[in-house]
Amino acid sequence: MAPSHVLKCCQKVLAWVPVAFIALVVAWSYYAYVVELCVFTISSTAEKVVYLVVFHLSFVMFVWSYWKTIFTSPASPSNEFCLSKADKEQYEKEERPESQQEILRRAAKDLPIYTTTASRAIRYCDRCQLIKPDRCHHCSACDICVLKMDHHCPWVNNCVGFSNYKFFLLFLMYSLLYCLFVAATVLQYFIKFWTLCHRKAAESCPKNELPHTHAKFHVLFLFFVAAMFFISILSLFSYHCWLVGKNRSTIETFRAPTFRNGPDKNGFSLGCSKNLREVFGDEKKYWLLPIFTSLGDGCNFPTRLVIMDPEQLTVSSQSEPAKSSGGSQSFPTRPLSESQNRLLASDSQWVESGPEEENVKSGAKKHIIVSLES
């Protein structure tokens, strides 16, 4: 027991090594740029002031978003997704998967869940003992179920999911701008130093060359580090921008969520504009600030729901090939609430009528998902 506890403590400590490395690089870059470049190297006062103002602005936004990404706890499912004590005991006693699935279906009938496993089973986490909401996955590193989990990032020692995905995107964007600004403003002094290094006689150097040896060293490595990080972050940021436009997570890109009609990578896509609003919120003035403004609660996600008549449902089910495991799968009948589904408020696909609403409330109608390509 003791060795296992010590091992876990060591793993937790080692998990902070990448974060400590980034913190040291950022601290050194601050010293190299502010002290060695702006104070000791640049002679023009106006140039110093402009560089320092822009640098500190990008530095503050970069550190702020990085801090929020690291220390924002991953969001977990609410208690309504946990099994009751009676259902949990019954589930643990059952040995047959069919019986266990029947218990889970009964518990999930009133939950806003529209996705299943590839085998059409209710997504259940044995570790956390709860029914997984849509887009929720268990993180082995954090040992919890994370809402809208994207991935576990070692560079922030945290899970990137619903609660901090916006912060993660801003962290990538501001780190990209930070590296670009540093590399662009250091470039001219880097060239002067590089030219100076290839001269045999120091007497032939112009008077406006870099005056200090330490400054030359810092400027050289500052440019290389900024350029290297810029290139590496650019590809990652571009990839996540593409994911936001498609309303997908990294996990969903490699394993598409399974709906009633089968796997569909675009099952949650509402169009590029609405997908963007789902992550950054409705108020554009907060988009560039690392403040939580994402829409929804992380458990329910807008989908295009269509209310169908029982006759239409029967005809459509007869026209589709019968599936042994999918035919008996019951899907929840509760739609998203108005506040959670406001992204679809202007869509003509959201059909509502008086008589149909009454039938829905009485249980005579069924809501199913129609996955549309964005």
Side-chain angles (χ1 to χ4, degrees):
M1 221 29 211
S4 176
H5 180 70
V6 172
L7 182 61
K8 288 183 179 179
C9 291
C10 292
Q11 289 176 341
K12 289 183 178 180
V13 172
L14 291 176
W16 286 101
V17 171
V19 178
F21 172 75
I22 295 296
L24 289 174
V25 171
V26 171
W28 167 78
S29 69
Y30 182 90
Y31 167 79
Y33 193 91
V34 174
V35 178
E36 298 293 346
L37 179 68
C38 292
V39 175
F40 291 143
T41 303
I42 301 177
S43 57
S44 171
T45 304
E47 187 178 1
K48 283 184 181 181
V49 172
V50 173
Y51 281 9
L52 287 173
V53 169
V54 178
F55 173 82
H56 280 92
L57 180 62
S58 61
F59 180 82
V60 168
M61 297 306 297
F62 162 65
V63 173
W64 185 10
S65 57
Y66 189 44
W67 179 276
K68 294 285 287 185
T69 306
I70 296 173
F71 295 105
T72 299
S73 300
S76 299
S78 56
N79 292 332
E80 65 175 328
F81 291 90
C82 298
L83 295 180
S84 64
K85 187 176 180 181
D87 287 339
K88 190 181 298 184
E89 292 177 353
Q90 188 178 0
Y91 178 86
E92 292 174 351
K93 290 179 181 178
E94 290 289 347
E95 296 182 357
R96 294 186 306 154
E98 296 81 5
S99 301
Q100 291 180 333
Q101 277 299 305
E102 189 59 36
I103 296 171
L104 295 179
R105 289 193 190 101
R106 193 167 59 246
K109 66 179 181 179
D110 292 326
L111 295 176
I113 298 175
Y114 303 101
T115 59
T116 64
T117 63
S119 59
R120 302 287 182 164
I122 298 295
R123 299 171 64 244
Y124 181 74
C125 179
D126 292 307
R127 183 78 174 177
C128 299
Q129 296 186 327
L130 53 81
I131 297 172
K132 294 180 183 179
D134 294 338
R135 317 184 82 174
C136 176
H137 299 275
H138 186 86
C139 175
S140 58
C142 298
D143 198 25
I144 57 172
C145 282
V146 180
L147 296 179
K148 196 187 176 183
M149 179 178 172
D150 188 88
H151 68 286
H152 184 90
C153 181
W155 298 107
V156 300
N157 191 27
N158 199 2
C159 255
V160 177
F162 174 76
S163 61
N164 63 349
Y165 189 60
K166 176 190 173 183
F167 306 148
F168 178 73
L169 290 173
L170 292 178
F171 157 63
L172 293 180
M173 184 186 73
Y174 286 123
S175 59
L176 201 66
L177 294 176
Y178 178 78
C179 293
L180 178 62
F181 175 77
V182 170
T185 52
V186 168
L187 179 60
Q188 61 171 315
Y189 298 97
F190 169 81
I191 294 174
K192 290 178 182 179
F193 165 67
W194 193 262
T195 305
L196 183 63
C197 284
H198 287 78
R199 289 175 181 170
K200 296 180 180 180
E203 292 78 12
S204 62
C205 299
K207 294 182 179 180
N208 62 345
E209 293 291 359
L210 301 181
H212 297 286
T213 305
H214 286 195
K216 298 170 188 176
F217 170 81
H218 287 290
V219 166
L220 172 65
F221 281 93
L222 189 60
F223 177 80
F224 275 125
V225 171
M228 179 186 66
F229 275 96
F230 174 80
I231 294 172
S232 60
I233 295 173
L234 180 60
S235 59
L236 183 61
F237 179 67
S238 302
Y239 174 67
H240 278 280
C241 287
W242 178 78
L243 288 180
V244 171
K246 296 291 184 180
N247 203 339
R248 297 179 197 168
S249 65
T250 301
I251 295 176
E252 291 166 352
T253 302
F254 293 97
R255 187 172 67 244
T258 302
F259 296 88
R260 181 185 179 90
N261 297 332
D264 187 359
K265 288 184 178 181
N266 295 319
F268 294 105
S269 181
L270 308 173
C272 187
S273 176
K274 292 180 179 179
N275 294 341
L276 195 65
R277 287 167 52 199
E278 188 173 308
V279 175
F280 290 94
D282 289 326
E283 300 188 56
K284 295 183 179 180
K285 60 183 179 181
Y286 297 122
W287 279 15
L288 299 180
L289 296 177
I291 300 172
F292 184 80
T293 54
S294 301
L295 300 181
D297 58 2
C299 296
N300 308 336
F301 291 93
T303 52
R304 298 185 183 274
L305 304 177
V306 176
I307 303 175
M308 297 185 65
D309 291 330
E311 294 81 8
Q312 294 175 333
L313 188 59
T314 303
V315 171
S316 62
S317 61
Q318 289 176 351
S319 63
E320 293 179 358
K323 296 182 180 179
S324 57
S325 60
S328 60
Q329 176 64 47
S330 58
F331 278 76
T333 60
R334 192 175 74 179
L336 299 175
S337 66
E338 184 64 27
S339 61
Q340 295 159 344
N341 206 30
R342 53 184 165 168
L343 283 173
L344 299 178
S346 60
D347 285 2
S348 60
Q349 289 86 349
W350 180 256
V351 183
E352 291 184 356
S353 61
E356 288 179 339
E357 279 190 60
E358 296 299 325
N359 289 335
V360 170
K361 293 179 182 179
S362 63
K365 304 291 183 181
K366 292 186 177 180
H367 293 279
I368 66 171
I369 294 177
V370 175
S371 301
L372 299 179
E373 294 290 338
S374 59

